[in-house]
Amino acid sequence: MKEKKISPSLLSADFANLERDIRMLEKGGAHLLHVDVMDGHFVPNLTIGPPVVAAIKKVSTVPLDVHLMIENPGQYIDDYAKAGAAYITVHVEATHHLHRVLQQIKAHGIKAGVSLNPHTPLSTIEYVLQDLDMVLIMSVNPGFGGQSFIPQALDKVRALKKMLQDRNLNQVEIEIDGGIKLDNIKEVSEAGVDIFVSGSGIFGAPDPAAMIQRMIEEVG
Ligand code: DX5
Ligand code: ZN
């Protein structure tokens, strides 16, 4: 069985104290750090670029899970790969040339992921499944932290799990992002998720490191 991983979203961290917050997440046992890159076009919000990812990489001992919510991601893959990403995930809705972008990511020897917005069907990735290391199912509309979990995401995870099993692609990880909290993480895990992104669910807790540990226990 694949290891279940917690990937806290730095979007909810204190940007003036990123190193302090990263230490706290590491102490809690975070397996990955989720970095939300937004361009003000694909999503309304604007966040961070490659120099900040490179700075995070310098102080982090856990791999970086970089979620690109940007138009034309192909233009920036090389920058984020050089900045130190371990995973780069692009949105299927944001590129006309998904297959090419995935090859671009893999050429850097890092993990290639594709993300689907809540309304986007799984059929859009059917013919690239064999090129993927990870599929990220959005369980909120991307752009902001602190939104409520969209329950239809659970059916999508179950259907994706079956698609992967039918094709003997069980090594492909399933990630979920948006509205993940201690009270729904077990159900989400049972649907077939391997990687759990949580921003406000972790940073909103009085003791974020202890919250990560409790989440690990719930999915373990
Ligand atoms: C949303 C981002 C998420 C966000 C999740 O566009 O992709 O990673 O930080 O935040 P929560 O866990 O608060 O829903
Ligand atoms: Zn994200």
Side-chain angles (χ1 to χ4, degrees):
M1 212 172 93
K2 276 172 283 182
E3 187 199 9
K4 301 262 180 179
K5 299 174 184 166
I6 306 290
S7 187
S9 169
L10 292 179
L11 191 62
S12 293
D14 177 351
F15 277 28
N17 288 287
L18 272 179
E19 184 171 7
R20 181 201 68 192
D21 281 5
I22 288 168
R23 293 283 162 266
M24 177 176 73
L25 300 170
E26 289 171 343
K27 183 174 142 234
H31 303 89
L32 301 170
L33 292 180
H34 187 80
V35 183
D36 287 303
V37 175
M38 305 186 187
D39 67 351
H41 295 279
F42 182 67
V43 290
N45 207 357
L46 259 176
T47 56
I48 65 176
V52 179
V53 175
I56 292 169
K57 171 71 186 163
K58 264 197 206 157
V59 298
S60 166
T61 61
V62 297
L64 303 185
D65 165 29
V66 176
H67 178 194
L68 297 184
M69 285 160 277
I70 65 175
E71 299 282 1
N72 298 320
Q75 209 180 323
Y76 295 101
I77 297 302
D78 298 347
D79 293 341
Y80 285 99
K82 283 182 197 140
Y87 289 73
I88 293 183
T89 299
V90 298
H91 269 262
V92 65
E93 306 87 0
T95 174
H96 295 300
H97 304 290
L98 181 61
H99 181 270
R100 182 190 293 154
V101 173
L102 294 174
Q103 307 313 316
Q104 214 185 326
I105 299 171
K106 286 154 69 110
H108 288 279
I110 60 180
K111 292 189 190 262
V114 169
S115 182
L116 278 69
N117 278 339
H119 74 281
T120 304
L122 291 172
S123 57
T124 55
I125 57 169
E126 190 177 351
Y127 297 104
V128 293
L129 285 176
Q130 61 271 46
D131 298 303
L132 292 174
D133 297 296
M134 187 262 270
V135 179
L136 167 53
I137 301 294
M138 289 306 300
S139 43
V140 297
N141 288 292
F144 305 94
Q147 304 180 81
S148 301
F149 183 81
I150 298 172
Q152 296 92 304
L154 285 175
D155 284 340
K156 209 173 188 177
V157 167
R158 290 187 195 104
L160 172 60
K161 179 106 186 156
K162 183 163 187 317
M163 268 175 96
L164 293 171
Q165 276 169 348
D166 290 349
R167 290 163 177 77
N168 271 321
L169 294 171
N170 299 309
Q171 77 285 0
V172 177
E173 294 176 293
I174 302 178
E175 181 172 50
I176 198 150
D177 185 5
I180 298 299
K181 312 259 187 239
L182 188 64
D183 64 4
N184 62 9
I185 199 166
K186 197 179 175 77
E187 189 185 10
V188 170
S189 175
E190 285 167 358
V193 168
D194 305 296
I195 307 176
F196 307 84
V197 178
S198 180
S200 54
I202 289 173
F203 283 94
D207 182 345
M211 177 53 76
I212 295 173
Q213 283 163 11
R214 293 185 67 189
M215 287 179 164
I216 293 172
E217 283 161 23
E218 282 288 297
V219 301

